[in-house]
Amino acid sequence: MPVHVRKHSLEIPPPSEEDWLKDDEEDFFQQDPERIRDALPQPFRMVNKLVMLVFENAMEIIERRETLREAQKLKVRPTKCFPTAEFQVTGTANCLSVSGKFIFVGLSVGLAAFRMYDCKQVCVWDAVKTEICVIHSSDLGDEHHVLLTVDEMGLVSLFCFHRESFLLIKILNEVEDISKRSTCVEVVLSSGGDYAGVLLQGNSEVWLEVYRLPKDSWLKETEKSSGAAAGLAFREMRSSWTSVESFVSANKAEAKLSLPVLVLKVKPPKPITGTNFKSPLDALKKVDDGSMLGLGHNHLIKDSQWEQHEAIFRSIYREFLEAEGESESKDEVPSYPSSIFLSFCLDADLKPDVVWPCAAPIACSAVSSWYLALACEDSAITIWDKHLGYPLSVTVMPEKRPIRSIHFLQSAAAASSETPCPGTDPPSPAVELLVLCTDGSLYLLRASRAKKPSITLLADRPEDPNLAVTAVVPVLAFPSAVSIAARFFKNWALVFSWDGTVSLMNTATSQMVCCFSSPPSHAVASPWQPVFTLDTVNWCLLLRGDEQQADALAQSRASHSTIFLFYFNSYPLEEAFPKKPDLPFKSLQNLTLFERCNMFLRDSQQRLVGLEEQLPEYWSRLQARAAAMDKESQKIKGQKKP
């Protein structure tokens, strides 16, 4: 019976020199005949190549660590700044606002006013016994101030503060029928106190109301009624000189002032549905003069076409929709508008000039003299040029992190400039935006017309949740005493952390220059939502602090709160500012391994030059220590002998 026998066994052939790669043969072409014997044969060339690769990787790690070590040495240690002044308020301080020479505090029961220079209470308003949750104020001039407050019931109250007295003008959303009452979601007061915006919600509807404030009429009317109010205050104090309530009631002198005028009411646009027009001519009749971009209602698309388009979209992107966990429910989520005053005049009959599209709902927004930034829920940030009407940049945050707030950073000149004229160029070609994400990470977004936008990480999401950033406030300029030291750096920001730390960050280097600390007996109240305000006129940070108590329940029932004041001019911040930065570090990637090693050893040797003078002292200490140890050992041996 024939048997088939293989001629060759099934073995892996041994490696030979011919199997080595030939791509590096040109590296060993010797131009010098005397060095022809220095070329290594295979496999030693491969071993040499691997060893050199290990050395290069080690040198990169060493250089990186050395660079980080040098950067840590150059970092400025935060200087602790304790409060310059403080005062206590009766009840819980929920909000703060500074206008001119006065500090307004929203309390758990009413409203209080304090003088800025001596922190003395001058007036209290507690007629309704309600809790004030939000307060905005603006200086009208001639010792007049306008205040806009929101209480716990969602009622918006408009006040005029004059001659250390609160004058209640009107409750903007007060109605006789409680079932028709609308609650306030947000309030905005324009710069200068000309307009007030109120975002209301009621009966599953949301709308925005804009009021014109007759501040010129208030100035005249308060002057006329000041004599009558002074007489009432004198009679009240004369009847009860020793009563504290007389002081309060004297400041409740009421005067009838002109009511604000509703100039604009904005409702969310209706959802786009199928057309009701029978012909294009009917649709053209509904179109305006063409001076604005429409809202998309006057079209000729039928309901069946919308349904067909949605079915096609869902069939194409089914995988992505399922991955994002999109539900199939048709429940509509209420839309909440965000209002920002852009220092433009408002007319009685307003229509939108331009409708800017957004691919996702807007999470937060910010405005400067030239640009409008919109952060959407899909982690995309669009910076629009308000005057040209086109986007400057569109950027998506790393890892699509949800955005909590955005803030423009400006130089002092740009921040103090007046409303720009159309057709002029912006004061700064580059735009910087602080972006705070919901996970506590902080980024700096730079955008310009000539370059692509860049994102710099200022503070990453910490492993310890107590170190997460909870709030950020940009500091656009410094007082004259500090601006000299800060001339090399433009932008700064106050950073609030979850553990109650309040630091001043240099956004150009992400360094913490100083730390505003409360006394050891107090802690920052509600650090996840701190109660503070920044007075850019007097350059003062006002921060609420509560006395630390062992029992959390007792601390929540505290009868008073403490407001700490940090005046920037009172601290030697110029000493904490770094000097002018040196030239950027030159890259060493183009140098050979031996040159990089020699440079590294030379730099290390130069650092050890100063240690030569300290070596004799170290040797003397070492000898003294050795002599002491020898003496101690001899003493122990003598004790062991019988």
Side-chain angles (χ1 to χ4, degrees):
M1 169 172 195
V3 178
H4 178 72
V5 180
R6 293 180 180 272
K7 295 182 180 181
H8 304 285
S9 59
L10 295 176
E11 296 180 356
I12 299 176
S16 62
E17 188 176 356
E18 297 177 357
D19 298 328
W20 292 97
L21 298 177
K22 304 296 183 181
D23 56 349
D24 57 349
E25 290 296 333
E26 296 182 0
D27 298 340
F28 295 94
F29 180 77
Q30 300 292 344
Q31 297 180 356
D32 189 359
E34 295 182 356
R35 300 186 58 185
I36 194 171
R37 298 181 182 274
D38 296 339
L40 297 175
Q42 289 288 13
F44 300 103
R45 289 205 303 269
M46 180 60 68
V47 174
N48 180 67
K49 186 176 181 180
L50 294 176
V51 173
M52 295 301 295
L53 181 61
V54 172
F55 272 103
E56 290 180 358
N57 294 337
M59 280 301 302
E60 291 180 0
I61 295 175
I62 293 174
E63 291 171 356
R64 191 183 305 115
R65 291 181 178 178
E66 190 68 18
T67 304
L68 293 176
R69 189 180 295 110
E70 292 297 328
Q72 291 293 336
K73 292 181 181 179
L74 295 177
K75 277 189 176 181
V76 180
R77 295 182 179 179
T79 304
K80 284 190 176 183
C81 300
F82 291 97
T84 309
E86 63 181 77
F87 63 92
Q88 290 186 352
V89 296
T90 303
T92 303
N94 298 321
C95 48
L96 298 170
S97 182
V98 177
S99 178
K101 301 178 182 179
F102 295 95
I103 305 172
F104 300 103
V105 185
L107 303 173
S108 55
V109 179
L111 189 66
F114 296 80
R115 282 194 296 263
M116 190 75 182
Y117 64 90
D118 59 358
C119 300
K120 297 295 184 181
Q121 180 175 304
V122 296
C123 182
V124 174
W125 184 86
D126 56 355
V128 189
K129 303 294 182 180
T130 183
E131 182 176 3
I132 304 298
C133 302
V134 180
I135 181 172
H136 296 278
S137 62
S138 180
D139 191 356
L140 303 181
D142 195 16
E143 298 183 357
H144 288 73
H145 306 269
V146 59
L147 281 81
L148 204 63
T149 64
V150 181
D151 59 16
E152 58 183 345
M153 302 299 295
L155 297 177
V156 183
S157 301
L158 181 64
F159 292 89
C160 180
F161 185 80
H162 174 59
R163 295 184 181 273
E164 300 183 355
S165 300
F166 285 112
L167 304 177
L168 177 60
I169 300 175
K170 183 183 179 181
I171 300 178
L172 299 181
N173 57 339
E174 185 180 24
V175 292
E176 296 181 358
D177 190 357
I178 301 178
S179 61
K180 298 181 181 180
R181 176 181 294 179
S182 58
T183 59
C184 176
V185 179
E186 185 181 358
V187 292
V188 181
L189 188 63
S190 67
S191 178
D194 296 304
Y195 298 94
V198 183
L199 180 60
L200 300 174
Q201 178 184 9
N203 297 329
S204 69
E205 293 182 354
V206 180
W207 66 94
L208 174 67
E209 295 181 356
V210 180
Y211 293 86
R212 179 186 285 114
L213 306 181
K215 61 179 186 179
D216 295 334
S217 301
W218 292 346
L219 298 179
K220 298 177 182 179
E221 293 168 355
T222 52
E223 290 297 333
K224 293 180 180 179
S225 60
S226 60
L232 175 63
F234 178 76
R235 288 193 300 270
E236 291 282 349
M237 288 187 292
R238 187 176 180 181
S239 60
S240 179
W241 288 100
T242 59
S243 176
V244 179
E245 295 181 355
S246 62
F247 169 77
V248 177
S249 61
N251 289 283
K252 291 181 182 177
E254 296 183 358
K256 294 183 179 180
L257 303 181
S258 299
L259 299 179
V261 181
L262 179 64
V263 295
L264 182 63
K265 188 174 183 179
V266 181
K267 292 185 177 181
K270 298 179 180 179
I272 299 177
T273 58
T275 180
N276 295 324
F277 301 118
K278 297 180 180 180
S279 64
L281 183 60
D282 296 337
L284 290 175
K285 292 180 180 179
K286 296 293 183 180
V287 178
D288 293 333
D289 56 356
S291 61
M292 54 169 280
L293 298 178
L295 297 175
H297 296 287
N298 301 326
H299 57 82
L300 294 175
I301 304 177
K302 300 180 180 179
D303 289 329
S304 59
Q305 293 175 318
W306 284 118
E307 295 175 359
Q308 184 180 5
H309 182 272
E310 184 179 2
I312 294 174
F313 176 82
R314 290 186 174 276
S315 62
I316 295 176
Y317 300 101
R318 180 180 303 171
E319 298 180 358
F320 299 97
L321 295 177
E322 292 178 355
E324 294 181 1
E326 178 178 323
S327 61
E328 298 295 333
S329 61
K330 298 291 184 179
D331 297 337
E332 294 184 0
V333 179
S335 176
Y336 295 98
S338 177
S339 57
I340 302 175
F341 286 102
L342 302 179
S343 301
F344 293 134
C345 295
L346 297 177
D347 298 327
D349 187 13
L350 269 185
K351 294 182 179 179
D353 296 328
V354 176
V355 179
W356 286 335
C358 294
I362 299 175
C364 53
S365 58
V367 65
S368 68
S369 58
W370 278 92
Y371 301 102
L372 173 67
L374 302 177
C376 298
E377 294 181 358
D378 59 353
S379 303
I381 299 177
T382 305
I383 301 178
W384 292 86
D385 191 315
K386 297 189 304 185
H387 303 279
L388 300 180
Y390 70 88
L392 177 68
S393 67
V394 179
T395 311
V396 179
M397 297 303 298
E399 303 177 3
K400 291 187 176 181
R401 297 184 175 183
I403 301 172
R404 176 183 298 177
S405 63
I406 54 178
H407 308 272
F408 274 103
L409 287 176
Q410 299 176 347
S411 60
S416 61
S417 61
E418 298 179 354
T419 303
C421 299
T424 59
D425 295 331
S428 177
V431 180
E432 293 185 345
L433 197 69
L434 273 178
V435 182
L436 177 61
C437 299
T438 56
D439 60 355
S441 57
L442 183 62
Y443 292 88
L444 178 63
L445 172 61
R446 293 186 178 93
S448 62
R449 298 179 181 178
K451 298 180 180 180
K452 293 183 179 180
S454 62
I455 299 178
T456 304
L457 180 63
L458 299 180
D460 199 358
R461 176 178 54 190
E463 297 180 358
D464 187 2
N466 293 328
L467 302 179
V469 180
T470 58
V472 177
V473 178
V475 182
L476 302 182
F478 275 96
S480 58
V482 183
S483 60
I484 299 177
R487 59 186 180 275
F488 299 115
F489 304 99
K490 300 179 181 179
N491 301 323
W492 303 84
L494 286 174
V495 179
F496 295 80
S497 301
W498 190 277
D499 60 351
T501 305
V502 183
S503 305
L504 180 63
M505 172 187 283
N506 179 5
T507 58
T509 59
S510 69
Q511 293 183 3
M512 299 297 182
V513 175
C514 64
C515 177
F516 299 100
S517 303
S518 58
S521 58
H522 290 71
V524 176
S526 59
W528 56 91
Q529 193 175 1
V531 179
F532 71 96
T533 186
L534 181 61
D535 182 13
T536 56
V537 177
N538 301 305
W539 286 109
C540 178
L541 170 65
L542 289 85
L543 182 65
R544 170 194 158 189
D546 293 340
E547 188 175 358
Q548 296 186 7
Q549 298 182 7
D551 189 2
L553 181 61
Q555 187 170 355
S556 62
R557 295 178 178 177
S559 59
H560 64 275
S561 299
T562 305
I563 308 300
F564 297 102
L565 285 76
F566 302 86
Y567 283 94
F568 290 168
N569 284 327
S570 302
Y571 308 109
L573 295 181
E574 63 275 4
E575 300 178 0
F577 282 79
K579 298 180 180 179
K580 185 176 180 180
D582 299 331
L583 295 176
F585 183 73
K586 186 178 180 181
S587 177
L588 303 177
Q589 298 296 329
N590 298 327
L591 301 179
T592 62
L593 177 62
F594 297 101
E595 292 176 345
R596 291 162 64 184
C597 290
N598 291 334
M599 185 177 295
F600 176 75
L601 294 175
R602 191 184 311 114
D603 295 341
S604 301
Q605 185 178 5
Q606 291 178 357
R607 299 190 192 99
L608 297 176
V609 173
L611 296 178
E612 295 181 357
E613 301 177 356
Q614 301 177 4
L615 285 178
E617 183 180 357
Y618 290 158
W619 277 112
S620 61
R621 292 182 181 179
L622 184 60
Q623 291 175 356
R625 181 61 177 172
M629 292 177 64
D630 184 53
K631 184 177 181 181
E632 187 69 20
S633 61
Q634 293 293 338
K635 183 178 180 181
I636 295 175
K637 291 180 181 179
Q639 294 178 355
K640 290 183 179 180
K641 291 182 179 180

